[in-house]
Amino acid sequence: TKGLDPSAKIPLTTIGAVRKSDRVLHLGPQETTVIQAEIKMPEENFNGMISGGWHFIEYRDNKTSDQTISSNYAYMISVVLRGSHYKVYPELKYDSTKPILYNNRPAMGIKLRNPQPMVLKNVHFKAVVSKKGIFSDKRLYEKEGSSIAPNSSVTLPISWEYNNMKAGTYQVSVKVTGENLWNKLPMSWTFKKTLKV
């Protein structure tokens, strides 16, 4: 439940759970088992969707004495519950721009929120941070083919690689396009902000 957006009125974690005895399993080769989960639907009607899932990790005993890296296999089972009024539009809001670490390097994190209970799919992000003045410094982040979950936030990282941001005034420009999940309607948002470093 850590980091849930405050707009999530009914998180999946409050109405659904995997049976406690099924949370850690020990399986032999070619062995299968059935995992049981229970979801208690909310008593009150809700709009849009409640979205979440269960994350499974297979811990492999594949580390040897001369290895420093080992890997585990993970996958997720998604759960989506439809509300009585399902036809809700996603909405993007600009939340903040803050210094972050991205791949252990200095970066600016542009946080956007979707406070509505609907998925935005086929998302294309384009974010630019540029320094005003004669010695302009322009950085770009672009990604396509993403989705934004209902009642969630996303942080776009603009890397400064190994450099420090110089003091000055910066212009933040973000364009996001995507499709509403339920009717495939194209949607777009543009945000322009100014910040001082």
Side-chain angles (χ1 to χ4, degrees):
T1 59
K2 189 179 178 184
L4 285 178
D5 194 85
S7 65
K9 293 186 177 79
I10 311 169
L12 182 66
T13 52
T14 63
I15 59 171
V18 173
R19 190 172 61 180
K20 203 167 188 178
S21 60
D22 286 343
R23 292 183 191 169
V24 177
L25 301 171
H26 299 278
L27 299 176
Q30 305 300 317
E31 187 181 349
T32 62
T33 190
V34 175
I35 296 173
Q36 291 190 17
E38 182 177 314
I39 296 176
K40 186 177 180 182
M41 289 297 284
E43 290 180 12
E44 67 277 5
N45 288 340
F46 62 91
N47 296 336
M49 59 171 58
I50 297 172
S51 176
W54 286 290
H55 188 231
F56 295 92
I57 301 173
E58 178 187 352
Y59 292 101
R60 299 180 176 192
D61 188 19
N62 58 3
K63 193 172 181 180
T64 62
S65 58
D66 57 346
Q67 259 183 316
T68 55
I69 297 174
S70 64
S71 63
N72 299 309
Y73 176 74
Y75 61 96
M76 186 169 193
I77 303 293
S78 296
V79 178
V80 176
L81 308 176
R82 289 176 63 145
S84 54
H85 173 56
Y86 180 68
K87 298 177 179 180
V88 176
Y89 288 89
E91 175 188 4
L92 279 191
K93 293 187 174 185
Y94 181 95
D95 187 78
S96 61
T97 303
K98 294 179 182 174
I100 61 168
L101 282 178
Y102 176 64
N103 292 336
N104 293 321
R105 298 177 187 175
M108 275 306 239
I110 301 169
K111 185 177 178 182
L112 305 175
R113 292 180 58 231
N114 174 16
Q116 296 301 320
M118 184 53 63
V119 171
L120 185 69
K121 64 177 205 161
N122 296 329
V123 178
H124 178 238
F125 296 106
K126 185 173 183 180
V128 179
V129 174
S130 54
K131 185 176 186 291
K132 289 185 176 179
I134 301 168
F135 303 105
S136 63
D137 191 1
K138 194 178 210 181
R139 305 290 171 132
L140 169 73
Y141 175 81
E142 197 164 8
K143 186 177 182 183
E144 56 186 338
S146 296
S147 292
I148 301 177
N151 304 106
S152 68
S153 62
V154 61
T155 299
L156 312 180
I158 304 227
S159 178
W160 247 255
E161 296 168 355
Y162 291 108
N163 302 318
N164 291 328
M165 284 187 82
K166 304 284 191 291
T169 302
Y170 287 80
Q171 181 82 39
V172 179
S173 178
V174 182
K175 182 164 187 186
V176 182
T177 59
E179 293 178 1
N180 186 359
L181 177 69
W182 66 269
N183 65 358
K184 298 185 174 40
L185 183 74
M187 303 186 79
S188 67
W189 292 266
T190 302
F191 303 101
K192 288 190 184 296
K193 301 287 179 183
T194 301
L195 62 95
K196 286 190 176 180
V197 174

